[in-house]
Amino acid sequence: NAGVTQTPKFRVLKTGQSMTLLCAQDMNHEYMYWYRQDPGMGLRLIHYSVGEGTTAKGEVPDGYNVSRLKKQNFLLGLESAAPSQTSVYFCASSYRGGRNTEAFFGQGTRLTVV
Amino acid sequence: TQLLEQSPQFLSIQEGENLTVYCNSSSVFSSLQWYRQEPGEGPVLLVTVVTGGEVKKLKRLTFQFGDARKDSSLHITAAQPGDTGLYLCAGAGNYQLIWGAGTKLIIKP
């Protein structure tokens, strides 16, 4: 039972390069999320999706784009990486939103932009 | 904007001691969740509290939701080195969770 799988686990980018982070879940969840985690700042929501073909901005969306073409996949893109995007990125999914929703997380992607 | 403040941000204590972590907000939440995160891993759900005043126990961990559903606490009795980790609280919004910044807990043997 894989749960939520993120690839890659580690990546180093040069300023200005682009990349895509992949997230796949096998739990048939409707909702998917991308977060970044920085020391002392907890989890900050970048973008989220409440279903296939839908996306919405979170707290810190600038510099990122997302797509959810298939229910099980949620992609996070960085078009022109900046050092400020150095962070640990987590993907999560949940059956739906609301009071009893449990979020399931991937193991994270550690991204360094130099 | 809904905010959740956790305190303390960092706590280092000896094995066997008791501790309490707090999660406070000026907003009312329909539920509040507590997660634990270990290094190199994503957060994992410990408990969800839904009703004002609710108390839930998970072995040596006791979780309480405030009567007004604006705050919560996590109490650990006789802490063990295996309790070491980052503890995060999260309040349920309509489509997303509102996260606290976390409490980093270290239990020394």
Side-chain angles (χ1 to χ4, degrees):
Chain A
N1 190 0
V4 179
T5 303
Q6 291 182 233
T7 54
K9 289 186 170 50
F10 303 93
R11 185 73 186 268
V12 178
L13 285 180
K14 294 182 178 179
T15 297
Q17 286 185 320
S18 63
M19 77 165 294
T20 300
L21 281 66
L22 309 178
C23 178
Q25 54 94 4
D26 62 1
M27 296 172 282
N28 200 35
H29 285 170
E30 291 293 332
Y31 287 36
M32 296 187 74
Y33 313 84
W34 275 107
Y35 293 94
R36 59 178 290 173
Q37 187 174 39
D38 302 292
M41 300 189 73
L43 290 163
R44 291 186 291 169
L45 184 64
I46 304 171
H47 287 278
Y48 65 99
S49 168
V50 300
E52 179 180 317
T54 72
T55 63
K57 294 180 180 180
E59 180 186 356
V60 289
D62 293 343
Y64 305 96
N65 56 77
V66 288
S67 65
R68 183 123 181 248
L69 299 179
K70 293 183 178 180
K71 186 177 184 178
Q72 63 267 33
N73 297 332
F74 196 28
L75 279 59
L76 178 70
L78 285 73
E79 291 185 348
S80 180
S84 60
Q85 294 177 304
T86 293
S87 187
V88 180
Y89 291 85
F90 285 99
C91 175
S93 71
S94 63
Y95 179 63
R96 54 177 177 232
R99 61 193 303 186
N100 283 312
T101 298
E102 175 181 358
F104 293 81
F105 285 81
Q107 289 192 309
T109 297
R110 185 173 294 275
L111 175 66
T112 302
V113 182
V114 298
Chain B
T1 302
Q2 293 178 305
L3 291 174
L4 273 171
E5 294 186 358
Q6 280 188 247
S7 62
Q9 289 185 324
F10 179 79
L11 187 58
S12 178
I13 61 173
Q14 293 294 136
E15 180 178 1
E17 293 184 10
N18 302 330
L19 67 106
T20 303
V21 175
Y22 299 93
C23 179
N24 296 305
S25 176
S26 58
S27 301
V28 175
F29 290 100
S30 58
S31 70
L32 201 136
Q33 302 177 353
W34 285 92
Y35 289 75
R36 188 172 96 182
Q37 184 179 17
E38 298 189 14
E41 303 288 334
V44 176
L45 180 69
L46 295 173
V47 77
T48 300
V49 285
V50 177
T51 306
E54 182 177 3
V55 176
K56 282 192 174 179
K57 292 191 175 183
L58 190 65
K59 297 184 180 177
R60 293 175 294 99
L61 279 61
T62 302
F63 304 85
Q64 185 161 7
F65 202 12
D67 291 341
R69 291 185 288 128
K70 292 183 179 181
D71 55 85
S72 181
S73 63
L74 158 59
H75 182 79
I76 301 180
T77 303
Q80 298 179 1
D83 296 325
T84 292
L86 179 67
Y87 289 80
L88 296 156
C89 65
N94 287 335
Y95 300 110
Q96 57 181 282
L97 292 169
I98 309 300
W99 293 87
T103 294
K104 186 172 183 179
L105 177 62
I106 296 177
I107 310 300
K108 295 177 285 188

